[in-house]
Amino acid sequence: MQSQACMGYAESRRNRCETQNTTKLMAKIFYELRKNTNDETLANGKYYAFAKSIETLNTRKMAQHIAEHGSVYTQDVVFGVLEKWRSCMLEMLLEGKKVKIDGLGIFYTTIENTKYGADTEDDYNVNKHIKALHIRFLPEQEQEMNISSREFLKKASFIDLKAFILGKVNANNNGTPGTSGSGSGSGTNTGGNGGDGGDDMQI
């Protein structure tokens, strides 16, 4: 079950979006620290931050958010457009095209081949040697709308999930040094990619 604190924070964010310009809000990214236990790397024993999501917005919830965000369109209209966008984007990707959402980035496909490949061009067989077709995403990198990894980092501040649950930091302000802040983003995280991509935070 999600913690009441985290659910309350998610609700407060939605409420503030109705009355404020989101470009002026500093995003809050929750993270938890994990110890690297791989004794075959120099990162062994070091701690690294991993992002934790508050909730997952499905198409219906996203449509509701857009409709309540100063939009002149109702939730059902927005939902219909998003659903049509999804199906059309997949159609375009399967036709060998890239799809760009201005200000967000480009969706495109890549081919994953089997491990050993074919010995010659004539031996190559699509059904045998292509393992998967992946959908990839490249963030917008044009200067005025750049949201590449390092630029996106500048738009966020970070909150230690453990400290938040213990009440040592408030999600609606900058918290205490070391638990929240913009971060430098310098250096390479050798302990992992720092993201789960799975379930929302469980307490």
Side-chain angles (χ1 to χ4, degrees):
M1 179 183 295
Q2 286 186 344
S3 72
Q4 292 299 316
C6 294
M7 292 177 67
Y9 173 67
E11 181 63 28
S12 69
R13 287 287 296 178
R14 284 194 291 269
N15 292 339
R16 281 194 294 165
C17 279
E18 296 179 22
T19 57
Q20 298 186 47
N21 186 335
T22 53
T23 60
K24 297 179 181 179
L25 293 176
M26 178 63 77
K28 305 292 186 181
I29 304 298
F30 285 96
Y31 70 91
E32 67 176 1
L33 295 177
R34 299 180 190 171
K35 186 177 183 179
N36 186 303
T37 57
N38 186 348
D39 57 12
E40 296 182 357
T41 72
L42 295 176
N44 184 40
K46 304 293 186 180
Y47 285 85
Y48 295 88
F50 284 77
K52 300 295 292 183
S53 62
I54 298 172
E55 64 176 317
T56 299
L57 296 180
N58 58 21
T59 307
R60 181 66 69 181
K61 287 183 178 180
M62 194 62 188
Q64 178 182 352
H65 175 81
I66 294 172
E68 294 173 348
H69 205 280
S71 174
V72 297
Y73 302 105
T74 64
Q75 178 180 339
D76 287 342
V77 171
V78 176
F79 178 79
V81 172
L82 290 176
E83 276 292 291
K84 194 64 176 178
W85 173 272
R86 177 193 60 80
S87 63
C88 288
M89 183 178 74
L90 294 178
E91 179 186 351
M92 294 298 99
L93 291 174
L94 288 172
E95 289 186 5
K97 299 175 182 179
K98 296 180 180 180
V99 177
K100 180 179 180 182
I101 303 178
D102 293 335
L104 184 63
I106 300 173
F107 291 89
Y108 62 100
T109 58
T110 61
I111 292 174
E112 179 183 353
N113 290 275
T114 54
K115 185 175 181 180
Y116 298 106
D119 293 330
T120 67
E121 288 187 32
D122 291 336
D123 289 337
Y124 194 90
N125 184 294
V126 168
N127 295 323
K128 178 181 178 181
H129 294 105
I130 293 183
K131 184 178 180 180
L133 181 66
H134 299 286
I135 298 176
R136 305 294 189 188
F137 175 73
L138 178 67
E140 178 71 74
Q141 298 186 45
E142 292 185 8
Q143 189 61 40
E144 66 274 13
M145 296 184 288
N146 192 340
I147 57 169
S148 59
S149 298
R150 293 190 182 278
E151 290 299 318
F152 202 43
L153 174 65
K154 298 176 183 178
K155 302 179 184 296
S157 62
F158 298 87
I159 299 174
D160 185 333
L161 176 60
K162 183 177 180 180
F164 176 70
I165 293 173
L166 294 176
K168 295 181 178 180
V169 61
N170 187 337
N172 293 318
N173 58 35
N174 288 332
T176 56
T179 59
S180 178
S182 61
S184 66
S186 60
T188 301
N189 182 348
T190 57
N193 62 14
D196 288 339
D199 295 335
D200 300 325
M201 60 175 70
Q202 302 291 315
I203 308 301

